[in-house]
Amino acid sequence: MKKSFTAIAMLLVSLVLVVSACGSGNGGNNTPPAATNESTKAPEATAEPTPAAKDITLSLRHTQIKETSKTRLGILEDVVKKTQDENPGLTFKLEGIDEIVNRDQKLKAEMTAGNPPDIFEVFGGSDLNLYVKAGRMLDLTPILDELGIKDKFASLDEFTVDGKVYGLPFGGYSEAIFYNKKIFSDLGLQTPTTWEELIAVADKVKAAGITPFALAAKDGWVNGMMWNTVMERNVGIDAINKLVTGETKWTDENFVKGFASYAELVNKDYFTKGALGLAYADQGAQFLSGKAAMVFTGTWDANRFSGEEAGDLKGQIGYFGFPSIAGGAGDQTSINASYSNGFGFSANLDADKVAAVKKFIGNFYTEEVQKRTLVEDKLLPSMKLSDLSGVDPLTTEILTVMAAASSSWKAYDAIVQPAVSAEVNVGIQELIGKVTTPEKVAAKIQAAQEKANAAQ
């Protein structure tokens, strides 16, 4: 704000100028020297004491606790250290917990009670919408405007509610099929582009005594990945979006076809035997051991598949988009790709903590950090990069597949309500266990959908 000068103010300014003209040895003190003798020295200036830095502690919860997440955690810790070093008195208190525990249990309970951590990992989409509706999320819009980085993100759609931004993605992903190039070469196989070709490839792999698809089905969300793409091929993303408004139903013909298509893969025994008893980490282990020719998963596993754990398969793993399904209502060359994993910030923060959060955001969301994440961790950047040098071959394949996709869409659990997602996960597990039918699964999920819609 500009201040207008009064006559008195002008007089004071003139006085300061006169005093300054008499000599600068008084260190800016407005009282002139006691004597004008040239041999008399003005007293030395007394430095203003530096204000003591405020002690501020920010709690920060992350889910980078696995061995495969060490690189990502290291990058986060480097940013935290840099921010602390630059801001005396500021301390981050890091807490690492399991991703599922954070998302489905702890964070939900904290949001209900109104006491989430200061900074926390959060999923965009339906999870975030609930927390914003409850008034638990800090509006980051003015911070992004001040830092000038809003337009540098690839997409903030899943963290934007009513035009305001309530979270920031720290990376992107796509979901498709990683495959063992050596097995494909030995069996004379080409990457399939249609459902019929996929079935033919899987049959040849199975006949060779190799599991076509690695799967660890103990955690419901893992099964939801391939199923999600199969369903989109059959119904289209618009139909999935309309489930929450009641304009479409899980029991509609194309949705039942989606469940039936997935059940076909199950019934042909293309997945790992005993998958329902296996945890997520086992899925990648099966694939890397050569016991399975393919695995449908997210690009967050690229680091594992191109690192030391890959062993003899290092450099022998490729990536291709899920094949088209003839007669499907969806975009047949689309890909599930989004920017839904990120950091959220508590609405409870006082002004000092908000200022500290701004420092963290300014240091974490930079092209330098994003480039490190891409090159070192193989995590797709959430911000636009001007330099893609140093990217490994598998990541290059991933970027090529994503660039070739006709469109992208976000996962079902970022669209439908959490209670519905939970029912979907159970239904898919029941299909994998061969204890139910596509029609029955659809009916149960639709019942959950109607209940969730009515509660909105």
Side-chain angles (χ1 to χ4, degrees):
M1 180 185 299
K2 293 183 178 179
K3 296 181 180 179
S4 59
F5 287 98
T6 63
I8 296 177
M10 291 295 292
L11 181 60
L12 290 174
V13 170
S14 299
L15 179 60
V16 170
L17 291 174
V18 169
V19 172
S20 298
C22 292
S24 58
N26 62 356
N29 190 323
N30 285 342
T31 304
T36 58
N37 189 304
E38 291 183 4
S39 64
T40 303
K41 293 183 179 180
E44 293 185 1
T46 303
E48 292 290 334
T50 302
K54 285 188 177 181
D55 289 330
I56 300 170
T57 299
L58 287 176
S59 56
L60 191 162
R61 178 181 297 157
H62 64 85
T63 64
Q64 313 310 318
I65 62 173
K66 300 174 184 175
E67 184 68 22
T68 53
S69 300
K70 287 177 64 176
T71 300
R72 194 173 307 174
L73 176 59
I75 293 172
L76 173 62
E77 290 174 335
D78 286 347
V79 171
V80 165
K81 182 179 185 304
K82 172 180 170 64
T83 309
Q84 288 180 160
D85 290 346
E86 292 174 348
N87 299 275
L90 174 59
T91 302
F92 287 85
K93 185 177 181 182
L94 272 60
E95 174 196 15
I97 67 172
D98 178 76
E99 181 178 9
I100 303 302
V101 172
N102 178 59
R103 182 179 186 184
D104 293 341
Q105 300 173 30
K106 198 162 186 179
L107 191 56
K108 284 184 177 179
E110 291 165 337
M111 288 295 183
T112 299
N115 60 350
D118 298 325
I119 306 172
F120 48 88
E121 285 191 29
V122 66
F123 276 87
S126 58
D127 284 20
L128 183 86
N129 290 343
L130 289 175
Y131 302 151
V132 171
K133 186 177 180 180
R136 307 302 190 203
M137 305 293 296
L138 178 68
D139 178 8
L140 303 176
T141 312
I143 292 177
L144 297 182
D145 289 340
E146 182 178 339
L147 295 176
I149 61 174
K150 185 175 182 179
D151 293 334
K152 294 186 178 181
F153 286 89
S155 174
L156 291 173
D157 289 352
E158 295 195 46
F159 292 91
T160 302
V161 180
D162 296 331
K164 296 181 179 180
V165 180
Y166 292 94
L168 297 173
F170 50 68
Y173 73 88
S174 65
E175 293 178 2
I177 300 173
F178 289 90
Y179 71 104
N180 184 316
K181 290 184 176 182
K182 185 177 186 306
I183 291 177
F184 269 55
S185 177
D186 290 346
L187 297 179
L189 302 174
Q190 300 294 321
T191 55
T193 59
T194 68
W195 179 263
E196 291 75 19
E197 290 176 357
L198 178 66
I199 297 299
V201 165
D203 283 340
K204 289 183 180 180
V205 169
K206 184 180 174 184
I210 302 169
T211 300
F213 284 99
L215 179 64
K218 184 177 180 180
D219 299 316
W221 69 271
V222 180
N223 319 313
M225 287 189 286
M226 181 188 283
W227 165 86
N228 198 170
T229 294
V230 170
M231 184 60 76
E232 192 281 334
R233 291 285 189 265
N234 278 278
V235 305
I237 192 61
D238 188 51
I240 297 175
N241 285 325
K242 290 179 178 179
L243 288 166
V244 297
T245 63
E247 297 173 79
T248 56
K249 299 181 184 297
W250 290 98
T251 50
D252 290 346
E253 181 181 2
N254 283 342
F255 277 95
V256 175
K257 283 182 180 179
F259 286 114
S261 296
Y262 186 80
E264 181 180 352
L265 303 178
V266 172
N267 295 333
K268 286 179 177 291
D269 295 321
Y270 289 160
F271 296 125
T272 304
K273 291 182 179 179
L276 287 170
L278 300 177
Y280 177 61
D282 293 321
Q283 179 171 280
Q286 295 165 38
F287 178 61
L288 291 176
S289 69
K291 294 177 181 178
M294 298 173 281
V295 61
F296 190 104
T297 188
T299 52
W300 52 81
D301 275 331
N303 192 31
R304 185 180 186 186
F305 295 161
S306 59
E308 295 306 315
E309 189 179 352
D312 293 340
L313 285 180
K314 191 172 182 180
Q316 291 295 315
I317 294 175
Y319 188 73
F320 65 88
F322 196 84
S324 62
I325 297 179
D331 183 348
Q332 300 304 310
T333 53
S334 66
I335 193 169
N336 180 356
S338 190
Y339 301 88
S340 57
N341 292 34
F343 282 117
F345 305 84
S346 173
N348 298 334
L349 303 182
D350 60 25
D352 290 331
K353 286 192 172 184
V354 169
V357 158
K358 194 184 305 179
K359 300 290 187 182
F360 170 77
I361 292 174
N363 282 337
F364 190 88
Y365 291 97
T366 65
E367 181 160 343
E368 178 186 0
V369 172
Q370 289 278 299
K371 177 71 180 296
R372 278 192 65 191
T373 302
L374 174 64
V375 174
E376 298 175 25
D377 192 42
K378 312 302 186 291
L379 180 67
L380 303 183
S382 62
M383 302 179 80
K384 303 165 189 174
L385 298 183
S386 58
D387 175 22
L388 292 176
S389 61
V391 176
D392 71 282
L394 179 55
T395 302
T396 300
E397 280 195 46
I398 290 170
L399 294 174
T400 300
V401 169
M402 292 180 69
S406 50
S407 65
S408 63
W409 40 273
K410 57 188 178 184
Y412 71 99
D413 57 358
I415 299 172
V416 301
Q417 300 88 334
V420 179
S421 295
E423 195 63 53
V424 168
N425 293 344
V426 171
I428 299 171
Q429 287 176 322
E430 289 177 343
L431 287 176
I432 292 171
K434 302 179 182 179
V435 297
T436 190
T437 65
E439 292 79 7
K440 289 181 179 179
V441 169
K444 287 178 65 177
I445 298 174
Q446 180 57 32
Q449 187 72 64
E450 291 173 3
K451 183 177 180 181
N453 287 355
Q456 291 185 137

